[in-house]
Amino acid sequence: MTHTLISPLDMHLHLRDEAMLKVVAPLSAHSFVGGIIMPNVVPPITTIEAVIAYKERIMSAIGNNVFEPLMTLFFRSDYTREFLEKAALHVKALKLYPSGITTNSEGGVASMDIEVLRPVLDAMSDLGLILCVHGETNGFVMDREKEFGSIYESLASSFPKLKIVMEHITTKESVALLDRYENLYATITLHHLLITLDDVAGGMLQPHLFCKPIAKRYEDRDALLHVSLKAHPKVMFGSDSAPHPIHKKECCGCAAGVFTAPIALQALVELFDKHNALANLQAFVSNTAQTIYGYKAPHKEVVLEKTPFVVTHSYGDVVPMFANETLAWSIKHVL
Amino acid sequence: MTHTLISPLDMHLHLRDEAMLKVVAPLSAHSFVGGIIMPNVVPPITTIEAVIAYKERIMSAIGNNVFEPLMTLFFRSDYTREFLEKAALHVKALKLYPSGITTNSEGGVASMDIEVLRPVLDAMSDLGLILCVHGETNGFVMDREKEFGSIYESLASSFPKLKIVMEHITTKESVALLDRYENLYATITLHHLLITLDDVAGGMLQPHLFCKPIAKRYEDRDALLHVSLKAHPKVMFGSDSAPHPIHKKECCGCAAGVFTAPIALQALVELFDKHNALANLQAFVSNTAQTIYGYKAPHKEVVLEKTPFVVTHSYGDVVPMFANETLAWSIKHVL
């Protein structure tokens, strides 16, 4: 039994930089034909020169794979319209982080005050640049995304022509927002379709499943599954694959992030197959994203086969999700 | 500035066995005059011979310290009344674990069916043996203790003469039960007075603060603090100090438990001092427990002094809470 995916896209991807980039970029570039590259490297990507240089480093890291990195800028409220006009030639989106909310987000916005953000968001709206948002407050860890909901609502209603992507949503409340505001979209990760806080901290503590936003309750996971499996037209796959070296995951103060790039398609096919929703996976991993982003992806065929895939313990010093476990599907070949 | 505690007791203590026992027992025995020793060693303590032998191993591990281990049996629903009559000469309490709910609880009760438990609980009630309970269901990790509330209620009302200690409570709902049932009591740990889930998983993941029951919300912590600081007559200090070797805490599937024994009194004095409640600490760490357990502790004076205490990185291969941090109070001497 095989299943072919055409031009799969990862609409939320961390490729990091330097040695880590060289380890992880070929893995994403093997499975996917492109993806939205997150700009929270060190230092964050805030200039056109940095965008171009980072894209070149990515292209040289991916080897012979067909892969198009869709670049983003790290959102700053002091960008000028002139700068954004030029940037629009090089990036699809800007990623907004509330300051300090996740890995390498220290330079993020200090306040979500709409009036402070307005000049940049007006310009983005006019230029067709997409706003990607890490939507968490600094409240209690289980409430952060829900608390951010009112900010999503005020962004969506204040900038009705701006496309806003709620990144890596994890709650049923975020899912509900999709149908309430025309200009709100979402990415959903593989791991948030699979796990809850019980998997992270209900038995033994599992640092490799620790991520931000943290996995929530069963009813939240079910809401995410529901819209993903039915290929909701505003929902895109974004792995949020976030590699950290093992010594930053198995330690006494462990970094947040699940590394899923090399196993994402295999696990997605298994999940959608299990729910008799394989027919909707193409939309979830590619078509919907192309529509939302107004983007035509290069052609690539990823043929998956129902053959056991034993996931390796690590890629370099990065431990993937399902390390040492066996998935039901593997990638047979890529055309 | 000094503060003297008379005969402090730790009413919920894991001393483990063998090499670990030799590391941790002297640390508890230095600060405390006695404590309720949990029976979930490997294999669990289920016979009188095992109680006596474990107590001897503890006594030989504590060195020259004055310390009285108050022994417990691992609850089993098939104990006979005759057995319990004899056991009552050696143990103060039985500890009931739902099967598989925490470290070394695999042999716990499979069902909380009152009728199954009735013969043993009737006998315990008649014999004045105390029932200590790890009160969690196998539900969602944040709900387990709250869900167990109805079981506490049915135990309390079915066995009105049985003293039931809700061990290491972590929720405002458990606190509320104290005033609703005359025969419900509670132990509260140091760490649940200090941390919430935010400290475990809100920033970087902190395996050394991962415990069962998991730390909950701010309103839960505040409810625990409220009854502890005012020396609620049904609330006793129980550290649940639970040592694990470092390789089982900083790893890819980390054990639950916070090791607080050597820093507990110092941190408690700091906490109660900060809240202007030092006068109530004596009750919380000793007097209330003696009343509830009908126990007269040996005399010991622990003199604490407001002098910085730099907590060591580790005791043997066990990392304590506040490792490498500085507490405001230290133990000056023990008389």
Side-chain angles (χ1 to χ4, degrees), chain A residues 118-132:
Chain A
R118 186 178 293 282
V120 172
L121 294 181
D122 273 339
M124 287 176 61
S125 187
D126 295 343
L127 293 164
L129 284 165
I130 287 178
L131 179 69
C132 302

Side-chain angles (χ1 to χ4, degrees), chain B residues 40-313:
Chain B
N40 59 332
V41 289
V42 182
I45 305 293
T46 56
T47 67
I48 294 166
E49 295 68 34
V51 169
I52 294 170
Y54 187 33
K55 186 171 183 176
E56 281 174 5
R57 293 198 296 283
I58 294 168
M59 292 310 291
S60 78
I62 60 174
N64 292 325
N65 298 288
V66 175
F67 184 83
E68 184 164 30
L70 305 173
M71 305 307 289
T72 62
L73 274 174
F74 192 93
F75 185 97
R76 282 199 176 159
S77 52
D78 60 358
Y79 289 143
T80 65
R81 181 174 285 260
E82 295 64 37
F83 170 76
L84 291 168
E85 278 171 5
K86 288 180 202 146
L89 303 173
H90 301 276
V91 304
K92 292 277 176 203
L94 278 72
K95 173 71 181 290
L96 186 153
Y97 296 90
S99 175
I101 215 69
T102 192
T103 306
N104 302 337
S105 64
E106 293 74 14
V109 297
S111 150
M112 287 302 298
D113 183 337
I114 294 284
E115 293 318 311
V116 174
L117 307 179
R118 185 178 296 280
V120 173
L121 295 181
D122 273 339
M124 287 176 61
S125 186
D126 294 342
L127 293 164
L129 282 165
I130 288 179
L131 178 69
C132 302
V133 182
H134 182 121
E136 290 195 288
T137 68
N138 58 4
F140 181 67
V141 61
M142 294 294 279
D143 300 338
R144 290 173 188 173
E145 182 171 319
K146 189 158 62 174
E147 288 175 355
F148 201 88
S150 62
I151 302 176
Y152 278 134
E153 296 196 70
S154 96
L155 285 170
S157 52
S158 302
F159 304 95
K161 297 211 166 132
L162 179 67
K163 285 187 173 177
I164 301 166
V165 182
M166 304 183 289
E167 295 293 336
H168 45 53
I169 58 171
T170 65
T171 68
K172 62 185 196 302
E173 288 82 6
S174 295
V175 169
L177 286 177
L178 288 169
D179 294 326
R180 221 176 293 151
Y181 293 89
E182 201 183 342
N183 56 332
L184 284 184
Y185 303 85
T187 56
I188 296 181
T189 74
L190 169 66
H191 48 283
H192 290 119
L193 291 175
L194 295 174
I195 68 172
T196 70
L197 185 65
D198 270 356
D199 297 284
V200 184
M204 306 288 255
L205 190 67
Q206 302 294 342
H208 292 288
L209 298 180
F210 171 59
C211 56
K212 296 192 175 189
I214 204 161
K216 303 293 189 314
R217 293 175 168 269
Y218 290 90
E219 59 263 36
D220 295 308
R221 187 187 63 177
D222 291 348
L224 300 173
L225 257 180
H226 179 72
V227 288
S228 301
L229 293 171
K230 77 172 189 184
H232 186 293
K234 300 175 84 180
V235 160
M236 308 168 268
F237 174 66
S239 71
D240 195 14
S241 182
H244 293 282
I246 188 167
H247 70 271
K248 292 202 172 174
K249 290 296 284 182
E250 301 181 5
C251 58
C252 65
C254 323
V258 183
F259 181 53
T260 53
I263 59 87
L265 288 186
Q266 299 90 324
L268 281 171
V269 170
E270 182 170 343
L271 179 69
F272 276 63
D273 184 31
K274 187 179 121 194
H275 289 278
N276 297 312
L278 261 185
N280 289 335
L281 183 54
Q282 178 63 37
F284 182 60
V285 299
S286 185
N287 300 4
T288 304
Q290 294 189 53
T291 303
I292 293 170
Y293 271 79
Y295 165 68
K296 177 83 185 82
H299 187 80
K300 184 174 192 170
E301 292 181 26
V302 181
V303 181
L304 293 112
E305 184 176 46
K306 200 163 185 175
T307 303
F309 168 39
V310 181
V311 180
T312 183
H313 170 266

Side-chain angles (χ1 to χ4, degrees), chain A residues 215-261:
Chain A
K216 305 293 190 313
R217 292 174 168 270
Y218 291 91
E219 59 263 35
D220 295 308
R221 187 187 63 177
D222 291 347
L224 300 172
L225 258 180
H226 180 71
V227 288
S228 301
L229 292 172
K230 76 172 189 182
H232 187 292
K234 300 176 84 180
V235 159
M236 308 167 269
F237 174 66
S239 70
D240 196 15
S241 181
H244 293 281
I246 189 167
H247 71 272
K248 292 203 172 173
K249 289 296 285 183
E250 301 181 6
C251 57
C252 65
C254 324
V258 183
F259 180 53
T260 52

Side-chain angles (χ1 to χ4, degrees), chain A residues 250-295:
Chain A
E250 301 181 6
C251 57
C252 65
C254 324
V258 183
F259 180 53
T260 52
I263 58 89
L265 288 186
Q266 299 90 325
L268 281 171
V269 170
E270 181 170 343
L271 179 67
F272 276 62
D273 184 31
K274 187 179 121 194
H275 289 278
N276 297 313
L278 260 186
N280 289 335
L281 183 55
Q282 179 63 36
F284 181 60
V285 299
S286 184
N287 301 5
T288 305
Q290 295 189 52
T291 303
I292 293 170
Y293 272 77
Y295 164 68

